[in-house]
Amino acid sequence: MGWRTVVITKHSKASYKMEHLIIQTEDDVVKIPMSDIQILLIATTESVITSHLVMELAKRDIKIIFTDNKKMPVGEFNPYYSNLNRNRNILKQISWDSDKKSLLWQAIIKIKITNQAKLLAKYDREKYDGNLANIDLEELINQIEIGDVTNREAVAARMYFQRLFDTKFNRRNDENEINGYLNFGYSILLSLITQEICCAGYLTELGVHHNSMENFYNLASDFIEPFRIFVDEIAFNKTPGSELDMSDKLELVDLLNQTITTNNGDALLSGVIKTFVRSCLKYLSEDVENIPELEIKV
Amino acid sequence: MSLRYRVMRLLIFFDVPTLTADDRRNYRKLHQSLVKEGFLMIQESVYSRVLINKQSAAFLEERIQRVAPVNGIVQSMIVTEKQYSEIKFLAGKKIDDVRNSDERMIVI
């Protein structure tokens, strides 16, 4: 299992030789063992990558993420044959029990809003109320119903973002530099989650709650929810008014390597995400009644 | 369930005969395996590999066991990255190479 994230940011050629990823730049040659690599992020449009390398990466389930000329992630690469149980799993996925889906979604949203409340408390933002009614997020947590049918998630999101950033903050405004941070950071998290879903042999399209016809990553969009706060925290701590530059992006990518504390002890964020995804899939597909739990120290 | 990582180093030291053609073939096989497995030669006949945990270090040690020439001497040692980092250079200096570091994010 890989543990290194490789980011290519400059004019270079990436190829494969003797179980190694070889990156040739103008003045250097870097060799990285394939078995070390978890994600290859190509954060430039000036690098060349050989088809042999792409094939070898695909065979090993290593994620390749491509970015556009504005350096935002535009797409990723998922292999076909990474899990021999894929057909069986997809059949199960299509007929996942709707009660289980609703219970899992309720649990995920509980973790999400709990984490949002913790983050607001950490930075003393929980009482910040521009035009908003001064409700605690904790109150919402108790109101979450099975399947979150009353959509407490959206209510919490509105209160949370405006308290954390600004009363005028709007997630839909692409001009806002905070949204640049969030979009970039979320796509990195999302790609790790799709990688894990693909490795486990499931479709990312069929979600538990998300069911947009345009979204290829409905299931990953479900599982990402508890972890978004880590990106939010970085965005919150950046210097106001600064544009998203390469070092900010690297900080967001390196987020996966941060050690966090959960109810299972200390672990890397990437490891916690993977374990969570696996236990959600297990809950949905197998005869287990225990809904995955996750307590994160924010 | 928790994934706790403790970065380890697997070190391989060897001295293998190269007198006959067979010896040399065995040597090449060992050398090639070490390179393919991601080892870095830190000096003549001493190879090092950074691994994410003790378990993967033990697995790799087993794989190298299979290509170790029986009539040579091949030794292995697993230490934590922290222990390894206390190595002193009485002469010379550390090789600057990704394979010689435990950096999780490599930016090129």
Side-chain angles (χ1 to χ4, degrees):
Chain A
M1 199 62 234
W3 50 280
R4 295 200 211 247
T5 311
V6 181
V7 188
I8 300 182
T9 61
K10 58 182 176 199
H11 185 75
S12 58
K13 180 186 171 190
S15 57
Y16 171 86
K17 195 182 174 191
M18 295 265 282
E19 307 285 326
H20 283 71
L21 161 65
I22 315 281
I23 303 171
Q24 288 166 269
T25 60
E26 268 161 38
D27 46 16
D28 201 8
V29 179
V30 180
K31 295 176 188 168
I32 305 159
M34 294 291 277
S35 54
D36 282 1
I37 307 170
Q38 171 167 267
I39 290 174
L40 173 63
L41 172 64
I42 304 182
T44 172
T45 45
E46 292 174 348
S47 74
V48 175
I49 176 165
T50 65
S51 51
H52 188 186
L53 174 64
V54 175
M55 181 273 282
E56 292 288 348
L57 291 165
K59 270 178 28 188
R60 291 169 173 79
D61 282 328
I62 300 168
K63 175 71 69 185
I64 316 169
I65 307 171
F66 297 96
T67 57
D68 63 12
N69 44 13
K70 289 192 208 120
K71 313 264 193 307
M72 290 304 281
V74 285
E76 54 184 64
F77 180 84
N78 294 319
Y80 278 154
Y81 305 113
S82 55
N83 191 302
L84 293 173
N85 290 322
R86 191 174 152 88
N87 288 358
R88 199 176 314 149
N89 289 349
I90 291 170
L91 283 176
K92 278 188 194 160
Q93 186 175 8
I94 292 168
S95 52
W96 275 342
D97 182 57
S98 65
D99 288 347
K100 273 196 164 183
K101 285 200 272 190
S102 300
L103 284 167
L104 179 62
W105 182 242
Q106 180 189 31
I108 289 176
I109 292 308
K110 263 191 189 158
I111 306 170
K112 178 185 182 178
I113 303 181
T114 307
N115 289 346
Q116 288 176 330
K118 284 184 192 164
L119 188 66
L120 291 179
K122 180 173 178 184
Y123 292 101
D124 231 355
R125 308 284 291 185
E126 72 260 63
K127 291 294 174 201
Y128 182 82
D129 63 336
N131 300 318
L132 291 163
N134 212 350
I135 332 170
D136 274 338
L137 287 178
E138 270 90 6
E139 275 180 49
L140 290 173
I141 298 168
N142 298 325
Q143 298 168 5
I144 305 168
E145 292 181 32
I146 293 171
D148 191 26
V149 282
T150 54
N151 209 354
R152 296 295 97 183
E153 183 199 7
V155 177
R158 197 176 137 72
M159 300 196 324
Y160 163 77
F161 278 122
Q162 300 201 349
R163 284 176 195 186
L164 186 63
F165 297 119
D166 191 297
T167 44
K168 291 189 202 74
F169 179 76
N170 179 354
R171 265 298 277 142
R172 291 182 199 284
N173 177 8
D174 282 344
E175 301 291 298
N176 186 315
E177 75 276 358
I178 294 173
N179 281 321
Y181 275 77
L182 300 183
N183 294 341
F184 187 91
Y186 294 162
S187 11
I188 298 297
L189 291 184
L190 197 70
S191 64
L192 184 78
I193 296 171
T194 54
Q195 179 180 31
E196 199 56 26
I197 294 171
C198 293
C199 287
Y202 289 88
L203 292 173
T204 58
E205 288 87 343
L206 300 177
V208 170
H209 173 81
H210 289 82
N211 58 0
S212 159
M213 286 296 143
E214 290 89 41
N215 185 353
F216 298 126
Y217 302 116
N218 281 316
L219 187 57
S221 309
D222 293 328
F223 295 155
I224 195 178
E225 299 297 355
F227 306 104
R228 289 188 194 266
I229 50 136
F230 292 104
V231 175
D232 303 342
E233 186 173 10
I234 293 184
F236 175 76
N237 284 323
K238 69 165 198 75
T239 349
S242 66
E243 286 289 312
L244 181 64
D245 62 23
M246 190 45 92
S247 72
D248 299 323
K249 285 172 184 160
L250 294 177
E251 191 187 344
L252 287 163
V253 174
D254 203 27
L255 183 61
L256 299 176
N257 303 323
Q258 302 301 312
T259 304
I260 63 164
T261 307
T262 72
N263 48 336
N264 285 312
D266 289 355
L268 295 182
L269 178 60
S270 58
V272 173
I273 292 178
K274 287 175 175 191
T275 312
F276 182 73
V277 169
R278 292 274 177 172
S279 53
C280 288
L281 292 170
K282 191 173 172 199
Y283 170 73
L284 291 162
S285 280
E286 290 174 29
D287 198 15
V288 279
E289 293 302 325
N290 297 346
I291 304 173
E293 283 173 25
L294 178 67
E295 267 174 56
I296 297 173
K297 188 164 167 250
V298 178
Chain B
M1 165 143 150
S2 159
L3 290 167
R4 204 186 160 103
Y5 296 119
R6 187 173 202 188
V7 179
M8 307 295 284
R9 281 267 179 168
L10 172 58
L11 296 161
I12 303 284
F13 312 84
F14 64 77
D15 208 349
V16 293
T18 48
L19 288 171
T20 66
D22 264 3
D23 286 344
R24 284 190 292 274
R25 195 180 61 235
N26 289 338
Y27 162 72
R28 277 196 306 276
K29 206 168 142 192
L30 174 66
H31 172 80
Q32 206 167 38
S33 302
L34 289 169
V35 171
K36 278 192 171 175
E37 291 284 6
F39 281 88
L40 177 72
M41 188 175 91
I42 51 171
Q43 57 170 282
E44 290 280 322
S45 305
V46 181
Y47 287 67
S48 126
R49 172 81 163 98
V50 179
L51 291 139
I52 194 64
N53 54 32
K54 211 172 175 174
Q55 198 187 23
S56 45
F59 278 140
L60 182 53
E61 192 178 37
E62 257 176 55
R63 286 204 296 278
I64 299 301
Q65 165 88 74
R66 281 179 227 146
V67 287
V70 280
N71 52 355
I73 173 160
V74 182
Q75 289 169 285
S76 70
M77 182 158 82
I78 298 175
V79 293
T80 64
E81 183 61 16
K82 192 165 176 289
Q83 287 167 330
Y84 181 80
S85 69
E86 278 161 27
I87 198 165
K88 277 191 193 135
F89 286 86
L90 306 180
K93 57 178 195 275
K94 191 179 173 183
I95 303 170
D96 181 20
D97 191 297
V98 168
R99 287 166 292 175
N100 210 9
S101 87
D102 63 345
E103 284 293 314
R104 293 181 186 279
M105 187 163 78
I106 299 156
V107 181
I108 291 150

